[in-house]
Amino acid sequence: MSLESEVITVLKKLVDPLTHQDIVSAGILQGLQVSSSGKVTFILEISTAYMQQGLKLKEDAAALLKSLAEVKDIQITLTAQRKPKGQNQPKEGIRGVNYIIAIASGKGGVGKSTTAVNLAYGLQNMGLRIGILDGDVYGPSLPRLLGVSQKPTSDDGRIINPIVVNDLKCMSMGFMIDEKVPAVWRGPMIQNAFHQMLRQVSWGELDVLVVDLPPGTGDVQLTLAQSVLLSGAIIISTPQDLALIDARKGLEMFLKVSVPILGWVENMSYYLCPHCEGRSDIFEHGGVRKEAHALGIPFLAEIPLHMSIREASEKGMPIVKASPYSEEASVYKALAQKTWELLTKLS
Ligand SMILES: Nc1ncnc2c1ncn2[C@@H]1O[C@H](COP(=O)(O)OP(=O)(O)OP(=O)(O)O)[C@@H](O)[C@H]1O
Ligand SMILES: [Mg+2]
């Protein structure tokens, strides 16, 4: 067997974290060169979504190659240029918008929208220019959470002006339709409505546009995740196991479309009593942190379950805006800080 064949055979023992195929079949091993003097060079094309696993892969590859006596020199370059197979659809950003991030979860009701609005205000609190888009065209919740009831206007009948609340630019299907009328949108129409809200809104200059995605990991979510150049996604889940299984599906969806996972947030992580401010771990908390650690994904925040968070949202004034110096608000502000650090690091 030639040295090159031997090298390929040992490298095939390594598994690509995304496709679960060996790294040669998965196509992430590129430009392999094996010289007669025993020098082996190649590139590992991984994704920023799993940098840590990429680093481990590189180490393991080097260790395996060292076991071959004829290999004298090893040079492995790690790049984050990976484009998954079958993804040729070009993604476009939005002019004037620096980063677009998605807030997602595998299942409904885990607090995506609540996190999205508080994160938006948290980022704004850092002096950044922020917009927020309600990606849920079936059950829009931004109008209620932000206390907005006016309809957006348009100067030319084509481009829509976002609603501006406390300097936050926002857009939701709920601004266009009566909240009581159920929107019966079919697949292509949903996509259309979402596209219009993304591209036919005069967002202006924004540092971050926060997109609150609808729950689940079906076709609708996948299309949304694919249709725009997302800088990254934040996955929200609650501590229960079942939610974690769903969250893993959410992670896989973003990995498939090559969107970096900025990190994972545990919502309703522990209970903060509004009377005594005592803390109780109602659910076995910490599961998300453990899981995130195992997968090499940043763990971003543990948000308490607190009456004031729900009450503030219901009044249309999210907690970060309503009581910016409360303990609950500080958790969201820290989340905003981490998110911004990750975004600027990624670029
Ligand atoms: N940390 C929290 N403390 C207290 N209540 C919370 C917290 N997070 C969310 N809630 C409440 O839980 C309910 C669901 O939250 P939210 O609407 O944000 O979830 P969602 O994931 O966006 O739901 P959907 O999947 O329906 O879009 C709301 O009543 C909200 O006020
Ligand atoms: Mg929601």
Side-chain angles (χ1 to χ4, degrees):
M1 208 193 314
S2 70
L3 180 56
E4 180 165 345
S5 314
E6 274 184 71
V7 165
I8 292 175
T9 308
V10 298
L11 290 177
K12 273 192 159 191
K13 290 184 187 159
L14 296 173
V15 176
D16 165 34
L18 183 55
T19 61
H20 306 296
Q21 291 176 303
D22 70 80
I23 58 170
V24 180
S25 312
I28 63 171
L29 186 146
Q30 300 275 330
L32 176 68
Q33 284 179 5
V34 181
S35 76
S36 54
S37 62
K39 181 171 178 180
V40 179
T41 56
F42 59 88
I43 296 168
L44 275 182
E45 284 194 343
I46 58 128
S47 152
T48 47
Y50 54 91
M51 269 309 204
Q52 263 151 302
Q53 281 136 310
L55 288 171
K56 171 96 181 23
L57 217 50
K58 184 179 165 181
E59 276 172 26
D60 291 349
L64 281 173
L65 290 173
K66 274 184 197 148
S67 69
L68 298 176
E70 285 169 75
V71 173
K72 305 288 179 224
D73 187 11
I74 304 161
Q75 219 172 63
I76 307 170
T77 313
L78 211 54
T79 69
Q81 302 301 319
R82 178 169 194 175
K83 305 242 181 335
K85 286 179 187 166
Q87 194 207 328
N88 312 317
Q89 205 181 333
K91 293 186 194 176
E92 267 181 73
I94 301 175
R95 198 147 27 105
V97 179
N98 283 341
Y99 300 102
I100 308 173
I101 59 173
I103 310 298
S105 70
K107 70 166 200 172
V110 295
K112 283 178 303 298
S113 305
T114 309
T115 310
V117 291
N118 281 296
L119 172 64
Y121 275 126
L123 288 163
Q124 188 190 57
N125 198 54
M126 293 166 61
L128 299 166
R129 300 158 301 173
I130 307 299
I132 182 163
L133 169 64
D134 194 344
D136 201 338
V137 290
Y138 284 114
S141 46
L142 278 199
R144 195 170 34 89
L145 293 183
L146 297 173
V148 174
S149 54
Q150 73 257 48
K151 301 258 177 266
T153 56
S154 172
D155 301 332
D156 61 1
R158 204 176 66 84
I159 301 292
I160 307 161
N161 299 318
I163 302 278
V164 184
V165 218
N166 300 313
D167 290 328
L168 198 67
K169 290 185 178 164
C170 27
M171 191 59 214
S172 167
M173 211 51 210
F175 300 156
M176 316 285 239
I177 51 169
D178 190 331
E179 216 181 334
K180 289 182 214 95
V181 181
V184 191
W185 299 90
R186 303 246 189 98
M189 286 174 78
I190 294 171
Q191 215 182 318
N192 222 346
F194 183 75
H195 269 278
Q196 280 186 328
M197 292 200 297
L198 265 177
R199 310 210 180 270
Q200 276 170 245
V201 169
S202 52
W203 291 108
E205 300 277 315
L206 290 182
D207 292 301
V208 185
L209 176 65
V210 179
V211 183
D212 176 18
L213 282 185
T217 51
D219 282 350
V220 176
Q221 291 75 11
L222 198 66
T223 317
L224 302 190
Q226 267 173 326
S227 62
V228 67
L229 188 69
L230 288 173
S231 316
I234 294 179
I235 311 284
I236 316 288
S237 46
T238 55
Q240 296 99 316
D241 254 342
L242 197 63
L244 274 184
I245 294 168
D246 289 312
R248 264 181 238 130
K249 283 191 226 148
L251 288 176
E252 278 167 19
M253 176 181 90
F254 286 110
L255 289 177
K256 261 192 228 154
V257 292
S258 202
V259 170
I261 307 293
L262 291 175
W264 212 335
V265 168
E266 184 170 272
N267 188 32
M268 309 188 196
S269 182
Y270 52 93
Y271 178 67
L272 261 191
C273 172
H275 307 293
C276 68
E277 291 299 322
R279 168 182 169 145
S280 334
D281 291 338
I282 299 184
F283 312 109
E284 198 185 342
H285 112 282
V288 179
R289 183 190 287 272
K290 221 162 66 195
E291 184 74 14
H293 187 72
L295 293 172
I297 290 165
F299 181 70
L300 302 179
E302 283 176 352
I303 301 168
L305 174 69
H306 196 290
M307 190 113 90
S308 64
I309 295 181
R310 187 181 57 77
E311 282 174 350
S313 295
E314 267 164 28
K315 287 185 191 137
M317 187 62 84
I319 192 85
V320 171
K321 199 73 193 164
S323 324
Y325 301 106
S326 61
E327 190 179 331
E328 305 85 86
S330 72
V331 176
Y332 288 113
K333 286 201 257 178
L335 169 64
Q337 199 88 38
K338 266 197 192 161
T339 303
W340 181 245
E341 274 167 27
L342 284 167
L343 282 174
T344 45
K345 221 195 291 178
L346 268 184
S347 62

